[in-house]
Amino acid sequence: DTGVSQDPRHKITKRGQNVTFRCDPISEHNRLYWYRQTLGQGPEFLTYFQNEAQLEKSRLLSDRFSAERPKGSFSTLEIQRTEQGDSAMYLCASSPLPTAANTEAFFGQGTRLTVV
Amino acid sequence: AQSVAQPEDQVNVAEGNPLTVKCTYSVSGNPYLFWYVQYPNRGLQFLLKYITGDNLVKGSYGFEAEFNKSQTSFHLKKPSALVSDSALYFCAVKNFNKFYFGSGTKLNVKP
């Protein structure tokens, strides 16, 4: 399977702990996105990378959240000092540089975080 | 500001009947519009997109969508629903390199 891969699929953590999620995009996709989805809502933009450069980060995103894509391939999303409100599905997506015919993003299966 | 509205939380349809899932959008400039489907505990799966050209676009699994610029709508349709189409459907608009999603519509297809 050469789709977007996310690890772990599920994570349960205690409030106050740090967690890190990994995303492996489709090979040679330049762009990588992180989204958060809570129950009953659509995905909410967190941040995106073009190669190794983080081009935009949501203004709604707490500074407890940080993301990296050090070599322009896989990416990690870290949440420090987790809170119960961080419980959500964290989705990663990737896409090639957009052209007229190729603008969609491809999503991984997500990491479901539960903070207890 | 860009936004996507899916006015129906849930749509119920009988197998074999046509289905429509509604979406309206607000975006500056020309819209890039998408439909994605999500099955339980899974990520989003791309169905179809409108970029330019013909207002009726066809996608995966027999789905199609109609772009209406004057009504700023992009409704998802299928002529004959299958039980296996039951899932959560998201409309999205792409603007300034980011995707903005609606809140989703749960489609229930009953045998």
Side-chain angles (χ1 to χ4, degrees), chain A:
Chain A
D1 188 344
T2 57
V4 178
S5 177
Q6 292 188 245
D7 183 70
R9 292 290 310 278
H10 304 274
K11 178 70 176 179
I12 299 174
T13 191
K14 292 183 179 180
R15 189 177 54 185
Q17 297 294 305
N18 299 344
V19 294
T20 300
F21 309 142
R22 177 180 171 122
C23 172
D24 287 272
I26 294 172
S27 179
E28 298 181 354
H29 275 191
N30 303 89
R31 288 194 174 164
L32 187 148
Y33 302 83
W34 284 100
Y35 279 79
R36 176 172 60 190
Q37 184 181 20
T38 54
L39 198 62
Q41 299 297 319
E44 174 190 28
F45 171 78
L46 295 179
T47 188
Y48 89 97
F49 293 84
Q50 182 164 307
N51 301 317
E52 66 275 11
Q54 187 174 18
L55 295 188
E56 189 167 345
K57 183 176 177 180
S58 171
R59 286 172 289 178
L60 301 176
L61 199 60
S62 162
D63 58 9
R64 296 183 295 106
F65 287 70
S66 62
E68 293 182 340
R69 194 183 184 196
K71 297 183 180 179
S73 56
F74 74 92
S75 176
T76 57
L77 177 68
E78 181 182 18
I79 309 174
Q80 296 181 327
R81 305 181 303 281
T82 53
E83 302 173 356
Q84 287 188 322
D86 297 332
S87 295
M89 175 79 88
Y90 289 84
L91 296 166
C92 177
S94 70
S95 69
L97 285 178
T99 65
N102 190 9
T103 63
E104 63 268 27
F106 298 88
F107 282 79
Q109 295 190 4
T111 294
R112 181 168 294 284
L113 173 66
T114 302
V115 181
V116 297

